[in-house]
Amino acid sequence: QVKLVESGGGSVQAGGSLRLSCAASGVRVSTLCMGWFRQAPGKEREGVATIGAFGSTLYADSVKGRFTISKDNAKNTLYLQMNSLESEDSAMYYCAARSYLALCNSLSPSQFGSWGQGTQVTVSS
């Protein structure tokens, strides 16, 4: 059974940085398309970034150049390095995975079937 557990969220000042982690079990992050998503109150869940089994990445325009998605296959952990944080980045951040051997070409939450419980990120001005 796939289990994804996010951590690393917290409160930071605008312009600051934060690194989120997603510890996976029951699945190898090296074999799947993994992604980070976020949802703010009253807003739809949106894709932030994805990384494929072979390392290809995809970013939402709103975070490109500021966020970096990566993974440590040995630790079976997914990461999201967030720099130059803005108040608009405040949201609950979720780690997710697509099914085995699925393509990693979409930021749509509906394409991801396994989800963590989320970690809150709050950026203050």
Side-chain angles (χ1 to χ4, degrees):
Q1 295 280 270
V2 177
K3 184 175 182 178
L4 305 173
V5 181
E6 302 94 335
S7 63
S11 297
V12 297
Q13 290 288 124
S17 298
L18 204 60
R19 189 192 192 198
L20 306 183
S21 297
C22 172
S25 61
V27 63
R28 291 193 297 164
V29 301
S30 63
T31 68
L32 303 178
C33 170
M34 305 289 295
W36 285 100
F37 300 80
R38 65 187 183 187
Q39 186 168 24
K43 299 289 186 179
E44 294 291 312
R45 186 169 299 186
E46 63 176 345
V48 175
T50 63
I51 184 166
F54 298 101
S56 295
T57 57
L58 179 65
Y59 295 92
D61 288 342
S62 60
V63 307
K64 192 175 181 63
R66 298 188 298 120
F67 291 11
T68 302
I69 187 170
S70 63
K71 59 184 178 181
D72 186 327
N73 293 334
K75 295 181 178 179
N76 208 33
T77 300
L78 179 73
Y79 302 98
L80 182 68
Q81 178 65 49
M82 305 185 293
N83 297 325
S84 301
L85 284 162
E86 305 167 354
S87 59
E88 293 80 8
D89 295 317
S90 295
M92 182 71 76
Y93 282 71
Y94 299 90
C95 171
R98 291 190 67 168
S99 60
Y100 183 58
L101 296 181
L103 293 176
C104 207
N105 60 358
S106 176
L107 286 170
S108 174
S110 66
Q111 299 298 312
F112 291 73
S114 299
W115 295 83
Q117 293 300 304
T119 184
Q120 181 67 44
V121 171
T122 301
V123 184
S124 60
S125 300

